[in-house]
C-alpha cells in the first residue's frame, strides 16, 4: 500500500513524498522523495504492484520498488489525468498538449 504526502489547503502546497506501507503490519517500509517541486496530485500502482507512478502538475515519476530506482518525465504542460493500462506496463498521461504514453520497464 502507498500514500502520497499531505496537502496544505491554506498555502496550496502538496508534499512530494511517497510513503510505502506493509498492509499486513501497518508499518511504513519506505519513504521516497520524488523531487516533484509542485507536489503530488495522483498516485497509481502498477498492475503487478512492483512499480508506482506519481503525478505532479506537469511531471510524472515512476518508482520501482524492487530496484529502488526512479525515473521522471516532464510533460511541459498541465497534466489533467493519468492512468495505467490493465495488465500492461504502460502509463497514459492526458495533458493540455495531448495524450502521452510511456512504456515502463521495471
Amino acid at each position: 500500500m502507498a500514500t502520497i504526502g499531505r496537502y496544505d489547503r491554506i498555502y496550496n502546497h502538496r508534499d512530494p513524498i511517497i510513503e510505502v506501507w506493509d498492509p499486513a503490519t501497518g508499518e511504513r517500509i519506505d519513504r521516497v522523495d520524488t523531487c516533484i517541486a509542485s507536489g503530488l496530485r495522483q498516485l497509481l500502482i502498477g498492475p503487478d504492484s512492483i512499480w508506482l507512478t506519481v503525478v505532479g502538475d506537469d511531471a510524472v515519476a515512476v518508482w520501482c520498488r524492487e530496484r529502488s530506482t526512479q525515473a521522471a518525465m516532464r510533460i511541459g504542460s498541465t497534466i489533467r489525468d493519468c492512468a495505467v493500462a490493465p495488465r500492461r506496463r504502460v502509463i497514459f498521461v492526458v495533458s493540455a498538449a495531448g495524450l502521452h504514453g510511456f512504456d515502463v520497464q521495471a
Side-chain angles (χ1 to χ4, degrees), residues 1 11 26 30 37-38 40 46-47 54 63 81 84 92 95 100 102:
M1 178 169 52
Y11 298 105
D30 210 342
S38 63
L40 305 177
V54 290
W63 177 72
D81 204 358
V84 176
F92 293 102
S95 75
H100 314 273
F102 299 98

Side-chain angles (χ1 to χ4, degrees), residues 62-83:
V62 178
W63 177 72
C64 178
R65 188 166 103 88
E66 289 184 340
R67 291 193 219 153
S68 294
T69 58
Q70 181 176 329
M73 290 117 347
R74 181 160 304 283
I75 302 299
S77 64
T78 303
I79 295 174
R80 309 232 190 263
D81 204 358
C82 188

